[in-house]
């Protein structure tokens, strides 16, 4: 009945059919169709009625589909947020393998937040002591692909820039010194972008410090190779690194500058920093060893 009522508003009522006069001429009123006209155009009238009904039904269908699409989109957003919460909980708990298993279920996702977390999880699995060298290489390249996709989906994500830079650095270990030096420019660019997007992210600042420290400490033969391959090879200083460091490598930099008091302070912070990944544990071990060596020299 509701459909009929709406159609009545959309489709005009059937025209009035007058009774013919004695002269045989019709007494049709102004702006009204004569009976003969209606009968003669019955097919056109039916088609008009059908088209009007179809147009209405099409509009109703469009509304239903649109509403359903909005509901699905809202459900998808809620689902992604739920997955991210689970992922962050597992990361903070140090559940590396469970985190990887969770996120790989959504590896075809178009969400940048999911993808950079998957890049991080793939890399963390690669760092586990039980991971074979062959598996590690596959995971390193897999992580780079996820990070690249995250960056493509959202160039305004500081984390996507950060993990893309980290993963490019990891891949350099398999591609030789030339590729590693060439990648250094890209790595620096993305760390700097990550810091620009989020100046409070200590990890990006710390990693930029590692970049500076690495090139400040570059062996002479690598510098020579870099000069042969590039007109302006990457370079940095220990002083520049100090502007970024917040963890273990900050302590090592102070050691290089012969400031034992500050070296001990930052190495102690690194040793006591909570370890979430296998790499964090390695940093703690290295910091403890440097502290021991520092004590022996005192």
């Amino acid at each position: 009945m509701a459909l009929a009522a709406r159609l009545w508003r959309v489709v005009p009522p059937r025209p009035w059919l007058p009774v013919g006069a004695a002269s045989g001429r019709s007494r049709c009123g102004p702006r009204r169709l004569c009976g003969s006209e209606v009968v003669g155009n019955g097919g056109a009238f039916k088609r008009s009625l059908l088209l009007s009904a179809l147009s209405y039904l099409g509009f109703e269908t469009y509304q239903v589909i649109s509403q359903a699409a909005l509901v699905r989109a809202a459900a998808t957003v809620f689902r992604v947020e739920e997955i991210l919460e689970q992922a962050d909980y597992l990361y903070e708990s140090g559940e590396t393998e469970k985190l990887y298993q969770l996120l790989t279920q959504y590896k075809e996702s178009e969400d940048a937040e999911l993808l950079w977390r998957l890049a991080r999880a793939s890399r963390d699995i690669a760092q586990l002591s039980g991971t074979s060298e062959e598996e590690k290489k596959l995971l390193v390249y897999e992580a780079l692909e996820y990070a690249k996709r995250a960056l493509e989906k959202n160039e305004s994500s500081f984390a996507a820039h950060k993990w893309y830079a980290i993963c490019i650095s990891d891949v350099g270990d398999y591609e030789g010194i030339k590729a590693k030096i060439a990648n250094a420019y890209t790595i620096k660019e993305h760390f700097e972008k990550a810091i620009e997007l989020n100046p409070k992210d200590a990890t990006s600042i710390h990693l930029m410090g590692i970049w500076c420290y690495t090139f400040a400490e570059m062996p002479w033969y690598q510098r020579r190779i870099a000069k042969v391959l590039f007109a302006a090879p990457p370079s940095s200083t220990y002083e520049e690194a100090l502007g970024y460091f917040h963890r273990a490598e900050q302590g090592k930099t102070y050691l290089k500058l012969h400031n034992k008091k500050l070296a001990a302070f930052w190495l102690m912070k690194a040793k006591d920093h909570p370890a979430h990944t296998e790499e964090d544990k390695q940093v703690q071990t290295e910091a403890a060893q440097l502290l021991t060596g520092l004590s022996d020299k005192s």
Side-chain angles (χ1 to χ4, degrees):
M1 291 298 293
L3 177 59
R6 293 188 187 182
L7 281 174
W8 182 256
R9 292 196 295 270
V10 174
V11 182
R14 184 177 179 86
W16 170 70
L17 300 179
V19 178
S23 60
R25 295 182 60 187
S26 171
R27 296 199 302 270
C28 295
R31 299 183 183 176
R32 292 182 179 179
L33 293 174
C34 296
S36 59
E37 292 179 275
V38 175
V39 173
N41 293 282
F45 177 75
K46 290 178 181 177
R47 284 194 297 273
S48 175
L49 179 62
L50 179 61
L51 287 172
S52 297
L54 289 174
S55 296
Y56 173 78
L57 291 173
F59 177 71
E60 290 287 297
T61 303
Y62 168 77
Q63 284 189 314
V64 171
I65 292 173
S66 297
Q67 290 171 358
L70 288 173
V71 170
R72 284 197 300 271
T76 300
V77 171
F78 176 76
R79 178 63 175 152
V80 168
E81 291 299 322
E82 186 180 22
I83 295 164
L84 294 180
E85 286 183 12
Q86 292 177 31
D88 291 343
Y89 173 78
L90 290 172
Y91 179 75
E92 292 298 327
S93 303
E95 297 283 358
T96 304
E97 292 175 324
K98 288 182 180 179
L99 174 60
Y100 180 73
Q101 290 169 3
L102 169 68
L103 292 177
T104 47
Q105 297 177 61
Y106 309 99
K107 61 183 179 181
E108 302 303 326
S109 172
E110 300 293 309
D111 189 273
E113 293 297 304
L114 270 173
L115 290 169
W116 73 252
R117 283 173 171 81
L118 182 51
R120 180 182 65 183
S122 300
R123 184 178 183 274
D124 288 345
I125 289 288
Q127 299 290 329
L128 293 176
S129 56
T131 304
S132 69
E133 285 301 315
E134 184 179 352
E135 290 175 321
K136 181 177 180 179
K137 183 177 180 179
L138 290 173
L139 286 163
V140 163
Y141 279 93
E142 180 183 301
L144 177 59
E145 183 59 30
Y146 293 137
K148 181 180 179 182
R149 284 174 52 203
L151 198 56
E152 288 171 351
K153 299 303 175 187
N154 186 4
E155 291 187 354
S156 298
S157 168
F158 83 91
H161 282 279
K162 174 172 68 178
W163 286 100
Y164 183 62
I166 292 170
C167 293
I168 289 178
S169 178
D170 289 343
V171 165
D173 293 338
Y174 297 98
E175 298 189 346
I177 185 66
K178 182 177 179 179
K180 200 162 189 175
I181 294 172
N183 288 342
Y185 297 98
T186 305
I187 293 167
K188 183 182 182 183
E189 176 189 340
H190 286 283
F191 279 147
E192 288 176 338
K193 187 63 177 177
I195 294 169
E196 177 188 328
L197 290 167
N198 186 358
K200 295 182 179 181
D201 182 49
T203 306
S204 296
I205 298 170
H206 168 70
L207 292 170
M208 192 64 233
I210 294 177
W211 190 96
C212 293
Y213 180 88
T214 300
F215 284 98
E217 199 181 42
M218 181 185 282
W220 66 268
Y221 65 90
Q222 288 188 2
R223 290 182 189 277
R224 181 167 294 181
I225 293 171
K227 286 180 180 179
V228 171
L229 297 174
F230 306 97
S235 62
S236 189
T237 64
Y238 293 123
E239 287 77 12
E240 188 177 4
L242 283 177
Y244 293 105
F245 276 146
H246 285 272
R247 287 176 60 187
E249 285 72 14
Q250 187 163 25
K252 290 196 291 186
T253 303
Y254 278 119
L255 282 175
K256 290 287 183 180
L257 293 173
H258 307 292
N259 191 326
K260 292 184 179 180
K261 185 176 181 180
L262 284 173
F265 172 75
W266 286 106
L267 288 169
M268 186 65 72
K269 285 190 68 175
K271 186 176 72 69
D272 295 338
H273 189 84
H276 298 302
T277 67
E278 193 73 18
E279 192 174 30
D280 289 342
K281 294 174 184 176
Q282 292 171 4
V283 169
Q284 285 184 333
T285 301
E286 184 181 4
Q289 291 171 347
L290 287 169
L291 274 170
T292 301
L294 191 61
S295 300
D296 293 342
K297 292 177 182 177
S298 299

